[in-house]
Amino acid sequence: MIEFIGNQYFAELRHRCFFQEGISPWPSKRDFRMHDLIHDLSQFVSRGMCFRMEGVNSCNLMNKVRHMSLVIEDLESININEFDKCLQLSTFILIDYFLKDIDDKFHGNLPPAHFFGVFKFLRVLDLNSTRIETLPDISHLKHFRYINLSCSDIRELPEPLCYLFNLQTLILDDCLCLSGLPKSIGNLINLQHLRMAEIGDSKFEYTPRGIGRLHLLRTLSCVLVMNQQNEYNGFKIEDLKDLELLEGTLRSDSESRECGQC
């Protein structure tokens, strides 16, 4: 498994003190940091391939850039033409540099829909802790493997998202405004990890039955199970029978709504 290999690499780097564990502001998550000297060395070695953009005046992009983190307050001030050289960009991460505490979120505007049209080979999109309410149509970006919308204000996921047939990981942790998943989510045949907020903490109203067709699924954090008397064609407990690769435990939360947790 690719995750197993990645964990081996990370464990080796941590053993060699490339990463050191810090204090995370989120109790359920671990925080790892890099020493300043190691950080400077990493930047030197990865120059040209990795690019950190801070502010609109610091954009000096090269056509070799594959991984970009954007630290900016006003996204409307971006000149999209500046990114024309990044035709091979694989990773795009939006960082909230102006975060004052863990309850605040990105204060600027979000990238316009045509912003992503430049990155035709994008594989990783991280909009964690932004105020995004709707996701632009990115269905033409067929190379996506990983999308992280955690802690955002996302209210719904567009149906065209289900055309990203190569998507492997979709993270929706703490998306408390999210009301449900697209009805065609069963089309994401390569999806392996689907993480969502606890049902009782969110506005989640509907889990589509198509999840039962995701035979490669290994992580399913939370689903709303419909009872047999309910006329709504939602997820039922028998839909788990073909998800043979699921890992973890199964529990029921009867205090809020009937919810299967894997």
Side-chain angles (χ1 to χ4, degrees), residues 202-249:
S202 68
K203 297 181 180 179
F204 210 77
E205 299 176 352
Y206 173 65
T207 300
R209 198 160 193 183
I211 288 182
R213 301 199 304 269
L214 304 179
H215 297 162
L216 297 181
L217 207 60
R218 296 169 51 198
T219 302
L220 180 60
S221 61
C222 205
V223 292
L224 180 61
V225 179
M226 312 304 292
N227 56 45
Q228 297 292 340
Q229 289 73 34
N230 197 304
E231 297 180 357
Y232 203 29
N233 189 26
F235 187 90
K236 295 181 173 58
I237 193 66
E238 58 263 30
D239 293 328
L240 293 173
K241 63 182 175 59
D242 294 324
L243 305 182
E244 299 178 353
L245 299 180
L246 277 183
E247 301 174 351
T249 59

Side-chain angles (χ1 to χ4, degrees), residues 70-119:
L70 179 60
V71 185
I72 192 169
E73 185 174 11
D74 184 11
L75 289 170
E76 287 189 345
S77 62
I78 293 178
N79 181 6
I80 297 180
N81 295 328
E82 296 280 357
F83 295 87
D84 287 345
K85 296 180 181 180
C86 303
L87 299 180
Q88 303 298 320
L89 194 69
S90 175
T91 302
F92 180 80
I93 303 174
L94 182 60
I95 298 177
D96 187 355
Y97 184 77
F98 305 93
L99 198 65
K100 293 183 174 60
D101 57 64
I102 62 175
D103 294 325
D104 285 337
K105 295 184 179 181
F106 189 77
H107 297 288
N109 299 300
L110 292 166
H114 59 284
F115 180 82
F116 296 105
V118 180
F119 310 137

